[in-house]
Amino acid sequence: MSPTAPAVQVEKASPFPYLTHGHTGALEQLRRAFEEARPVAILVGERTSSASYLLDCFVDTIDSDVTVARLTAPCPDADAGMRGVVQAVGLDPKDVSLADLENAFTVFLSEQSRSGRRTVICFEETQDEAWWVFETVRRLIELQAKGECGLMVILSGRPGLNELLVNPSFDVIRALAGPRIVLGPFTLLETREYVSREVEAAEVGDIDEVFEFDAVTLIHELCSGVLDRIDALCCKCIDLADKEGGGPVSADLVKKADKLLGPSRKAARSSKKAEPKRANGARFPSGKLIARMNGVVVQEQALNSGRILIGRDKRCDIPVTSSIVSRRHAVVVNTLAGLGLVDLGSKNGTFVDGRRIKRHLLQNGDLIAVGDCTITYFAGDDRKG
């Protein structure tokens, strides 16, 4: 088989042109696995496009002399799969047997190793692959572990991949892969960040002009934080708002857009009307926020909802009338780690006990400063102001 130009498959036209905090952490894990010459890495994402975009970003960060082969769809059998691998690394598979294909690829890896070059093979949508993939991967990574041939295999797929890897035959794959890299659904804050970037990309204004705050919260809830669904619903909302004469996207318009997209876009949701809970079932913490202007108490806000919005807009839960406060300045939200305060990209910043913050887990007695307004957080029943 004669070498041809390497066919590196990198999807550039991704609908997700930025990384969230969760993506950044996963990308760093992939980079570390590559730098440590780990023979295999396992990437599990809630949806296909999220993991695929992360692989795009990973490929962009490695040296150009690294040969990359990406199989983006399941192959019907081992023969077709190995042909795909061999062709992707720049060899002409022609009409040869599976054994010849594997031997040719082994020779290719040896030549790469002698030249000090590395090879990365990405199997995507692996949860739908046949048994041959895992057997082939097991042989390849054993070869890498013994011979240092410069090979890294990335198994990428949706959560069903976890079930396939439970088989004892793949103990070596799990052992050499190290910690599994998991891309979970977006948090509410990541959904808001994503919608903000989509609005910027569409050049229709900023997020506060295009979406009402509760509309973004509803998008997150309807989509269960799943990136593909958020993307589709966000685009549909912008399109509908334009057709209906502009104006900010309301929660009602989000519901209309969701209905037009059909039941496949809907997330399962409870019909119970209980007091607000976090996504993992925990109740919103008890306590309150006491806001002061010039030392005078102007508002006491109970923590009785999924988020408390602070800003100059009169519709905020804690409105602050000040020219140095942004319309949507900061938000208090319930997270898996606890009650969080997040600055929403304000011009003049959000401060806790004199320190400017982007994100902060609130502790009892914390003093928040938003422009001329100070807000004290009292946890539980400790509410003396």
Side-chain angles (χ1 to χ4, degrees):
M1 285 182 281
S2 58
T4 60
V8 179
Q9 301 175 19
V10 181
E11 292 290 335
K12 294 297 183 182
S14 169
F16 314 119
Y18 77 103
L19 292 173
T20 66
H21 178 72
H23 280 80
T24 302
L27 179 59
E28 181 57 34
Q29 286 181 276
L30 267 180
R31 286 173 176 163
R32 193 179 307 122
F34 180 77
E35 290 167 0
E36 293 173 356
R38 201 174 298 160
V40 63
I42 300 170
L43 172 64
V44 180
E46 287 288 334
R47 300 292 286 184
T48 303
S49 49
S50 184
S52 182
Y53 177 57
L54 186 72
L55 289 175
D56 291 345
C57 296
F58 169 69
V59 170
D60 284 343
T61 66
I62 58 181
D63 294 336
S64 58
D65 62 349
V66 176
T67 300
V68 180
R70 288 178 65 174
L71 276 71
T72 58
C75 298
D77 51 44
D79 186 80
M82 279 308 301
R83 286 183 188 281
V85 170
V86 168
Q87 191 168 27
V89 298
L91 300 175
D92 182 3
K94 294 186 177 178
D95 188 18
V96 296
S97 68
L98 175 59
D100 288 337
L101 290 169
E102 292 183 342
N103 288 336
F105 187 63
T106 301
V107 170
F108 169 80
L109 290 177
S110 298
E111 293 175 352
Q112 287 280 95
S113 181
R114 282 196 297 270
S115 303
R117 294 192 296 268
R118 299 182 63 184
T119 305
V120 175
I121 305 177
C122 304
F123 291 95
E124 302 183 44
E125 290 294 275
T126 319
Q127 78 286 338
D128 295 328
E129 285 285 14
W131 196 256
W132 75 268
V133 169
F134 301 97
E135 287 294 338
T136 301
V137 169
R138 183 176 59 79
R139 291 197 300 272
L140 288 174
I141 64 177
E142 285 177 338
L143 177 67
Q144 160 63 17
K146 293 176 182 177
E148 296 297 326
C149 57
L151 174 67
M152 178 182 182
V153 177
I154 300 175
L155 296 176
S156 172
R158 283 170 276 166
L161 175 58
N162 291 322
E163 299 174 14
L164 293 175
L165 289 170
V166 169
N167 191 290
S169 300
F170 306 137
D171 286 348
V172 64
I173 295 178
R174 294 194 303 273
L176 292 173
R180 206 155 297 183
I181 304 168
V182 179
L183 283 172
F186 275 9
T187 64
L188 173 58
L189 297 177
E190 288 174 331
T191 296
R192 181 174 174 81
E193 179 186 358
Y194 175 74
V195 173
S196 178
R197 298 296 182 95
E198 282 289 279
V199 168
E200 291 175 9
E203 298 182 347
V204 291
D206 62 42
I207 187 171
D208 292 332
E209 296 170 339
V210 179
F211 282 87
E212 294 181 1
F213 192 89
D214 288 340
V216 179
T217 302
L218 183 58
I219 288 174
H220 176 78
E221 292 173 353
L222 291 172
C223 299
S224 298
V226 175
L227 187 54
D228 300 51
R229 297 176 182 173
I230 293 169
D231 176 67
L233 186 51
C234 176
C235 292
K236 191 66 175 179
C237 287
I238 293 174
D239 182 56
L240 273 182
D242 181 61
K243 289 179 179 178
E244 295 185 4
V249 173
S250 64
D252 287 340
L253 191 142
V254 172
K255 293 176 184 177
K256 183 177 179 180
D258 183 55
K259 186 176 181 179
L260 290 172
L261 286 173
S264 63
R265 298 293 182 183
K266 296 181 183 296
R269 42 196 180 267
S270 172
S271 60
K272 296 181 180 179
K273 298 297 182 181
E275 63 182 285
K277 296 183 179 182
R278 281 187 359 205
N280 66 348
R283 299 181 186 279
F284 202 76
S286 60
K288 67 166 55 177
L289 299 168
I290 298 181
R292 294 179 173 86
M293 292 289 289
N294 300 319
V296 178
V297 175
V298 294
Q299 184 176 346
E300 293 189 9
Q301 175 66 49
L303 298 175
N304 56 5
S305 68
R307 62 105 177 102
I308 304 295
L309 185 61
I310 306 166
R312 193 175 72 248
D313 194 304
K314 292 180 180 179
R315 293 171 293 181
C316 289
D317 301 287
I318 301 180
V320 181
T321 305
S322 172
S323 60
I324 60 175
V325 173
S326 299
R327 288 176 59 203
R328 271 81 166 174
H329 195 103
V331 66
V332 175
V333 292
N334 203 12
T335 73
L336 293 175
L339 195 64
L341 171 69
V342 181
D343 181 85
L344 296 175
S346 66
K347 182 178 180 180
N348 293 304
T350 301
F351 298 80
V352 176
D353 295 331
R355 181 173 59 87
R356 186 165 185 168
I357 61 95
K358 292 287 187 184
R359 300 169 183 251
H360 174 77
L361 286 178
L362 288 170
Q363 305 294 321
N364 185 42
D366 275 353
L367 184 64
I368 305 164
V370 174
D372 301 325
C373 179
T374 59
I375 303 169
T376 308
Y377 165 56
F378 293 100
D381 295 326
D382 188 2
R383 303 181 181 184
K384 296 179 181 179

